[in-house]
């Protein structure tokens, strides 16, 4: 019997392989070739774990392997047995798993693996519904796996309950383990303390018995000389030792004070140099900002001025120039930075690309709930011009700004409920709103 094993976790989808902070992960596929001759087969012992990470039944993945390889499959959920007949090379099954993820797990538009199977009411065709962006990805109904899926539909509720039970069991096991370790540590500390006390008592007894033996062997009676001369001599010796000790302590204290003084002076000097450099940089930025403000129109700072200024300055300096030098409010700053970096509202364009490119500027310049509302209205006005295409741009742009903490969840929900007037944009953003509300509900359940 030969085996090809791969352990550890990996990101879902090869396109995300290099992202160390990608949240969606799954176990690496483990394949074992068993048997010989006509009875040779390839078992996948961790198929259940892989399928759980993909939120798909193990039978779907195994059946897809069989369809693509033209081989029979054996599946048993109770014993977690998933087998594909025949001996298959190390790279074959992982490649097929990647194809399955691309076709039946990831959203065709945003690539998010949080999708569910749904049936079109009119055509009865299957499609993937993305929980993140709401895109509906049509599936190839001619594939043999679709027939299997229709005969074996997903029971979402049972999977969800099972996941919650697993989380609860893991939490209880973790708490029991921590209590056990704490108890063992406390018991060990008590034993060490008892052992230490016992050794001390034994040493005392040994020394006492040793002294008794010496007294018995020598037959000498020890006494202290209490004469006036002896007392005076002992006092003089003690005074000399005390004086030496006091001098040593005073010298050490003086050395400590000198070292502390030198360290404080060095820190103060370094701090002064940093403050001077920061002041010089701030003065240069302020001068450039003042120049930009002076060259602007009489009505105020224009988006063109801000765009030119942002090309040669950091996001923080750009935000400082708008709010401090030009004295724009938070709402005015949000609208100005959008017009400067994305463009005005004359025609719809690639809003998402501009948002991704200038995300750091939006982080610095959009501050507060009012500014976020203005930014959402700008996106609505801009993307509403492009009808369906522009509306999709709005969904992806808002999702990107939410993921990068520019827009808060409660502000997005408030805008969609009360402020959004463009029906096309409002309808397109609805799946994102549902996803946010569902995530909020899941967090409350976990708490």
């Amino acid at each position: 019997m030969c085996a090809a094993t791969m352990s550890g976790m990996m990101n879902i989808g090869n396109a995300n392989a290099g992202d160390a902070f990608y949240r969606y992960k799954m176990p690496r596929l483990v394949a074992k070739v068993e048997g010989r001759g006509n009875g040779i087969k390839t078992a996948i012992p961790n198929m259940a774990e892989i399928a759980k990470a993909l939120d798909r039944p193990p039978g779907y993945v195994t059946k897809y392997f069989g369809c693509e390889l033209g081989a029979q499959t054996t599946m048993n959920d109770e014993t977690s047995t998933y087998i594909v007949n025949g001996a298959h090379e190390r790279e074959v099954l992982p490649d097929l798993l990647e194809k399955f993820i691309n076709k039946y797990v990831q959203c065709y538009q945003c690539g998010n693996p949080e999708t569910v199977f749904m049936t079109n009411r009119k055509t009865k065709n299957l499609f993937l519904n993305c929980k993140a962006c709401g895109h509906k990805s049509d599936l190839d109904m001619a594939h043999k796996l679709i027939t299997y899926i229709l005969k074996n539909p997903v029971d979402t509720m049972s999977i969800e309950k099972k996941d919650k039970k697993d989380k609860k069991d893991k939490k209880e096991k973790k708490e029991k383990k921590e209590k056990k370790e704490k108890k063992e540590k406390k018991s060990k500390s008590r034993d060490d303390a008892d052992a230490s006390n016992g050794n001390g008592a034994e040493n005392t007894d040994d020394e006492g018995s040793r002294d008794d033996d010496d007294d018995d062997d020598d037959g000498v009676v020890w006494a202290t000389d209490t004469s006036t001369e002896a007392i005076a001599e002992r006092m003089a010796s003690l005074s000399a030792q005390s004086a030496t000790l006091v001098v040593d302590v005073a010298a050490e204290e003086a050395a400590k004070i000198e070292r502390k003084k030198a360290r404080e002076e060095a820190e103060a000097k370094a701090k002064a140099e940093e403050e001077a450099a920061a002041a010089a940089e701030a003065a240069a930025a302020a001068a450039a900002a003042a120049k930009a403000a002076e060259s602007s129109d009489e009505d105020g700072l224009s988006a063109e001025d801000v765009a030119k200024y942002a090309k040669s300055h950091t996001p923080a300096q750009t935000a400082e120039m708008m709010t401090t030098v030009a004295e724009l409010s938070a709402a005015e700053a949000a609208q100005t930075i959008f017009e400067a970096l994305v463009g005005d509202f004359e025609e719809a364009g690639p809003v998402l690309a501009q948002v991704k490119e200038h995300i750091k500027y939006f982080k610095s310049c959009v501050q507060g709930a009012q500014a976020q509302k203005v930014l959402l209205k700008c996106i609505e006005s801009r993307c509403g011009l492009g009808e369906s295409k522009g509306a999709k741009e709005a969904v992806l742009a808002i999702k990107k700004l939410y993921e990068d903490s520019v827009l808060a969840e409660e502000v997005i929900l408030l805008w969609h409920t009360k402020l959004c007037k463009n029906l096309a944009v409002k309808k397109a953003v609805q799946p994102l709103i549902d996803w946010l509300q569902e995530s909020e509900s899941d967090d409350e359940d976990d708490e």
Side-chain angles (χ1 to χ4, degrees), residues 61-83:
V61 187
T62 309
K63 190 66 177 178
Y64 178 79
F65 289 173
C67 294
E68 292 297 311
L69 296 171
Q72 293 183 348
T73 56
T74 303
M75 298 168 284
N76 190 324
D77 293 336
E78 295 181 359
T79 60
S80 295
T81 302
Y82 304 97
I83 296 172

Side-chain angles (χ1 to χ4, degrees), residues 192-335:
D192 292 343
D194 293 342
S196 177
N197 293 334
N199 292 336
E202 291 175 1
N203 291 338
T204 303
D205 294 340
D206 293 343
E207 291 176 0
S209 62
R210 196 180 301 114
D211 292 342
D212 294 341
D213 293 341
D214 292 344
D215 291 343
D216 295 339
D217 293 342
D218 297 341
V220 178
V221 178
W222 295 93
T224 303
D225 189 353
T226 58
S227 63
T228 304
E229 293 79 4
I231 293 174
E233 183 178 352
R234 287 197 296 273
M235 290 297 292
S237 176
L238 182 61
S239 298
Q241 293 175 0
S242 298
T244 302
L245 180 61
V246 170
V247 171
D248 292 342
V249 171
E252 180 64 24
E253 288 296 327
K256 285 183 179 179
I257 293 173
E258 288 297 327
R259 290 195 296 269
K260 182 178 179 181
K261 184 178 180 181
R263 184 171 62 253
E264 290 177 348
E265 289 178 352
E267 291 176 353
K269 183 179 179 182
K271 185 176 180 181
E273 291 176 353
E274 290 178 0
E275 291 177 350
E281 184 178 354
K291 185 177 180 181
E294 290 174 2
S295 63
S296 63
D297 297 334
E298 295 180 358
D299 294 337
L301 192 67
S302 68
E304 185 179 355
D305 295 330
V306 175
K308 290 180 181 178
Y309 184 85
K311 287 182 179 180
S312 57
H313 294 80
T314 65
Q317 291 172 343
T318 304
E320 180 74 12
M321 184 271 289
M322 288 194 297
T323 57
T324 303
V325 180
E327 298 181 349
L328 297 182
S329 65
E332 292 171 338
Q335 180 172 348

